[in-house]
Amino acid sequence: MIKSVRRRDAVLTAVVAVAGCAALGAAALGRGGLMRPYGAPSAIAALTLLLWTLAGWPRSRERLAVPLALAGAASLLTTAIARPPAVSEGSWARLAETVTLLVLLIVVVRWAPLRRAAAAVAVAGPAVAAWTLPLLPDPSLLTLAGAAAFWTLPVLGACVIGGYPRLMEHRRNRLVAETRRAQQLSLARDLHDYVAHDVSGIVAQAQAARFVAGTDPGQALTALERIETAGLNALAAMDRMVRTLHEADGSGTVRTEVSGDARTSGAGTAQTYGSGAAPSGTAGVEPLPGVDQLPALVERFSSTATCQVARLTAQPGATDDLSRAVGSTAYRVVVEALTNVRRHAPGATRIDVELTRTRTHDEGPALHVTVVNSAATEDDTRTTIRRERHEHGGRGLSSMHERVRATGGTLVYGPYDGGWRVAATLPLDPTDPAPHAAPSPSIPATATATTENPS
């Protein structure tokens, strides 16, 4: 295949070379009989290269840089050693050669690889700028510099004509790449925020079931039921993210392909973390979960724990009129904190989640979210269960720090009274979130919601 392509290119080059020589010869006969025009060899080379480019388009445009550099070198050699004509009319072939080189320069700057294009411009550009120097009568340094500067302007114009579309295409491709990278990072954060919470619950329940299976089979069965519920929740959360990734059609809706198991067997138990699951057959994307989902989140956390009690306390009015961005970020902060408690502090017996109103440094209103877990009890046998992990830590808190900072807030975390504390301050400035986004539903009027382990 490669040999046939090379053979075809060689035949094509020979044909266009003969055609170029014939065309230039015919033009010479028409203008001045059999006299050879000034710079005929380099002019034939440039014309041949132009015909080859047109005959092999569009494949030839990316391979034109090296031939153009050779044509430019031939033009420079002609300028340096060829004898100029006695009359100005004899330089018409070189003028045609110059115009051809400029056209080829536009093509090379637009489509050739960058390094090869730069090399071609470095050779062909001076060839165009210097072609009139031998034609100047009694040249001085000033007239030579002026003529070279004048013919440099077309070279710059050719670079601009070819380079501007190339620059726009490069910026467009870079923007597409950055957008795809941002989507990948957003998906990774969503997977961590939503799925990792339920998966960590499954791991904790499986470890507890393995520990008590020999002494209390009833507790093991209860743990298996909780594992099933957490697994269905994880499936529903993954289905929600898959729906958001599908491309929207012209009506602004997306296709839904929710797994049948999550819909049928999970009815009533497999609820997504969004603020209300879309009905079967609808094509709308579920809104992001907000603070109104926190009571259910805390309740699920406590119900899947063996001896951990989580309590949610909301100051009256603290969650009123929150933007969707602030409500979703507050929810994700709590999810990340509870997930870390389950993974890194299984011996903590109490977790307090608190939402209050506060002020930022510039005296603006803000929502303050804190999650504090108590110290692990020394006699808690669950802490002896081995937790095998391939890495020493994740990127949950660092990613959450970036998310909180994107809303203009701050996130601090660290040891607190023997346990661990995560605190986020989210500004409520209405100009910060998207103005078209609907406000996040608030927690019901009950100021304190406490969930305890039913077992």
Side-chain angles (χ1 to χ4, degrees):
M1 179 64 182
I2 296 178
K3 291 182 178 180
S4 62
V5 171
R6 291 178 177 176
R7 188 182 301 111
R8 185 167 59 250
D9 289 344
V11 173
L12 180 62
T13 302
V15 170
V16 297
V18 172
C21 293
L24 192 62
L29 288 174
R31 291 183 60 87
L34 297 177
M35 293 181 58
R36 187 181 66 178
Y38 169 56
S42 60
I44 292 176
L47 181 60
T48 301
L49 185 57
L50 177 61
L51 295 177
W52 175 83
T53 303
L54 296 176
W57 192 271
R59 186 179 57 181
S60 60
R61 64 189 185 185
E62 297 180 357
R63 302 189 298 175
L64 183 60
V66 174
L68 179 59
L70 296 177
S75 179
L76 285 174
L77 184 63
T78 299
T79 302
I81 66 175
R83 179 179 297 179
V87 292
S88 59
E89 288 80 3
S91 60
W92 62 269
R94 296 229 62 192
L95 180 60
E97 171 194 345
T98 301
V99 174
T100 303
L101 291 179
L102 289 174
V103 173
L104 296 176
L105 268 178
I106 296 176
V107 177
V108 166
V109 173
R110 175 63 181 89
W111 282 291
L114 185 59
R115 292 184 178 180
R116 294 183 179 181
V121 171
V123 178
V128 172
W131 81 273
T132 59
L133 300 185
L135 304 176
L136 297 177
D138 299 328
S140 63
L141 181 60
L142 183 60
T143 56
L144 290 175
F150 177 81
W151 283 98
T152 301
L153 296 179
V155 177
L156 297 178
C159 293
V160 171
I161 294 175
Y164 182 76
R166 183 183 189 131
L167 178 62
M168 294 298 100
E169 183 180 6
H170 173 71
R171 290 182 176 178
R172 182 170 60 252
N173 294 337
R174 185 176 62 181
L175 180 61
V176 170
E178 292 176 353
T179 303
R180 290 178 178 175
R181 178 59 177 168
Q183 292 175 348
Q184 293 173 353
L185 294 176
S186 177
L187 177 60
R189 287 192 293 264
D190 289 342
L191 285 172
H192 183 277
D193 293 344
Y194 298 140
V195 180
H197 178 74
D198 286 317
V199 172
S200 62
I202 293 173
V203 174
Q205 289 295 324
Q207 292 174 338
R210 183 180 62 180
F211 183 77
V212 301
T215 58
D216 192 352
Q219 288 291 335
L221 293 176
T222 302
L224 290 176
E225 294 177 355
R226 293 170 178 167
I227 289 175
E228 179 185 9
T229 301
L232 292 174
N233 286 336
L235 285 176
M238 293 180 66
D239 286 335
R240 175 185 176 274
M241 281 181 287
V242 169
R243 288 198 299 272
T244 60
L245 289 176
H246 287 167
E247 294 182 354
D249 57 20
S251 61
T253 58
V254 297
R255 297 170 296 174
T256 57
E257 297 179 1
V258 183
S259 60
D261 294 339
R263 273 187 176 175
T264 57
S265 62
T269 57
Q271 299 177 355
T272 65
Y273 284 152
S275 56
S280 176
T282 60
V285 179
E286 299 172 12
L288 293 174
V291 292
D292 60 314
Q293 300 292 317
L294 286 179
L297 173 68
V298 174
E299 182 178 359
R300 288 197 302 270
F301 177 86
S302 295
S303 63
T304 57
T306 55
C307 61
Q308 289 181 320
V309 176
R311 186 179 68 173
L312 172 63
T313 303
Q315 181 184 10
T319 60
D320 293 343
D321 300 328
L322 295 181
S323 66
R324 182 68 65 183
V326 173
S328 175
T329 304
Y331 180 88
R332 294 192 178 195
V333 169
V334 176
V335 168
E336 175 63 26
L338 294 180
T339 301
N340 287 338
V341 170
R342 178 171 286 157
R343 298 174 67 182
H344 305 295
T349 58
R350 178 167 176 168
I351 301 95
D352 292 323
V353 181
E354 185 176 3
L355 305 178
T356 58
R357 283 292 179 97
T358 184
R359 292 282 178 179
T360 60
H361 295 293
D362 55 357
E363 297 301 325
L367 176 67
H368 191 61
V369 183
T370 58
V371 181
V372 181
N373 64 272
S374 62
T377 57
E378 297 181 357
D379 58 346
D380 190 351
T381 55
R382 292 185 302 112
T383 59
T384 61
I385 298 177
R386 183 180 179 182
R387 304 175 61 88
E388 297 180 355
R389 299 185 64 193
H390 297 289
E391 299 180 358
H392 297 288
R395 292 184 49 85
L397 286 176
S398 60
S399 298
M400 188 54 60
H401 185 272
E402 297 175 1
R403 184 181 295 275
V404 171
R405 187 174 59 181
T407 64
T410 58
L411 178 70
V412 293
Y413 47 86
Y416 180 80
D417 196 17
W420 192 264
R421 179 175 180 267
V422 177
T425 302
L426 306 174
L428 304 183
D429 187 358
T431 61
D432 190 25
H436 63 274
S440 176
S442 59
I443 295 179
T446 305
T448 303
T450 304
T451 60
E452 298 182 356
N453 183 10
S455 59

